[in-house]
């Protein structure tokens, strides 16, 4: 048998080997990309969750100080002298979590997160000023609630979570009116 007789079989082996290598390389590349995306999705989920919890803790501290200033829509009053240092600590913690959001978030989620924590700053400023108009207090909370919803909407989209957000709660909750009726 001459080399010329063996050439078609040799070409078939080479083409088959190259095809097998190409398919295996593409499969491995896709698998690696999918695993990388899953890891980043996990990281973003954890980062968004930690950030949201830190903003909520900051809001809760401000609300408790607000309760001490006479806002009846909040329970568990915390005197400003005791609460303001806690509020500063909560802000520091939120700022730390913010840096992670900046690293892993997409532009629209980062913008929504910024809007949310800036709305919390407004509430903080109200408690630092002392007693304020109840209408301003309610409006600041409504804005914070809308900013929170926007953050969650963007974060869910970024994470590929389908479905609508659950409806927001009402602020202030008309619990006294509900009990009277």
């Amino acid at each position: 048998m001459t080399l010329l007789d063996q050439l078609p079989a040799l070409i078939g082996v080479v083409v088959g080997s190259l095809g097998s290598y190409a398919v295996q390389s593409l499969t491995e590349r896709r698998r690696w990309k999918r695993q990388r995306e899953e890891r980043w999705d996990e990281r973003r989920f954890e980062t968004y969750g930690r950030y949201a919890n830190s903003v909520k803790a900051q809001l809760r501290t401000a609300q408790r100080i607000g309760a001490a200033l006479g806002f009846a829509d909040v329970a568990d009053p915390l005197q400003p002298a005791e609460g303001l240092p806690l509020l500063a600590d909560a802000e520091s913690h939120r700022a730390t979590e913010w840096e992670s959001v900046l690293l892993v978030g997409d532009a629209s989620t980062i913008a929504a997160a910024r809007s949310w924590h800036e709305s919390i700053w407004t509430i903080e400023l109200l408690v630092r000023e002392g007693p304020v108009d109840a209408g301003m207090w309610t409006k600041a909370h409504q804005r914070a609630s809308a900013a929170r919803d926007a953050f969650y909407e963007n974060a869910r989209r970024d994470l590929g979570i389908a479905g609508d957000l659950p409806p927001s709660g009402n602020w202030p909750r008309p619990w006294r009116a509900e009990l009277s009726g």
Side-chain angles (χ1 to χ4, degrees):
M1 209 177 213
T2 67
L3 182 61
L4 200 53
D5 292 334
Q6 294 177 358
L7 194 57
L10 193 56
I11 290 173
V13 169
V14 170
V15 168
S17 296
L18 289 174
S20 178
Y21 174 77
V23 167
Q24 186 175 4
S25 292
L26 287 173
T27 301
E28 284 299 316
R29 183 180 176 102
R30 285 186 187 131
R31 182 180 304 134
W32 180 81
K33 278 184 167 182
R34 187 174 51 249
Q35 288 173 341
R36 184 185 67 181
E37 287 171 6
E38 288 171 1
R39 280 193 311 270
W40 278 112
D41 283 348
E42 283 180 33
R43 296 279 192 259
R44 276 195 307 274
F45 176 80
E46 292 167 2
T47 297
Y48 291 161
R50 283 192 316 268
Y51 172 77
N53 288 330
S54 69
V55 174
K56 286 293 280 190
Q58 189 176 357
L59 173 62
R60 185 70 186 123
T61 302
Q63 287 174 327
R64 290 183 63 204
I65 296 168
L69 296 174
F71 295 107
D73 299 317
V74 184
D76 305 322
L78 183 62
Q79 292 302 316
E82 184 183 348
L84 290 176
L86 296 175
L87 194 55
D89 288 344
E91 166 58 20
S92 292
H93 180 68
R94 191 235 21 108
T96 300
E97 296 297 341
W98 171 243
E99 296 304 317
S100 296
V101 172
L102 290 172
L103 284 172
V104 301
D106 69 351
S108 62
T109 304
I110 289 169
R114 179 176 283 123
S115 178
W116 187 21
H117 71 244
E118 288 176 353
S119 71
I120 302 305
W121 289 346
T122 300
I123 295 169
E124 278 191 39
L125 291 172
L126 291 175
V127 299
R128 288 181 188 282
E129 287 180 358
V132 294
D133 176 74
M136 288 175 64
W137 180 254
T138 299
K139 190 173 186 176
H141 277 80
Q142 289 169 339
R143 286 183 176 173
S145 182
R148 174 184 172 267
D149 289 349
F151 168 74
Y152 278 112
E153 183 178 321
N154 281 281
R156 288 169 59 101
R157 183 200 36 74
D158 187 29
L159 294 168
I161 299 172
D164 295 331
L165 283 175
S168 283
N170 295 326
W171 180 268
R173 235 181 137 290
W175 64 274
R176 285 195 173 120
E178 289 171 357
L179 294 175
S180 301

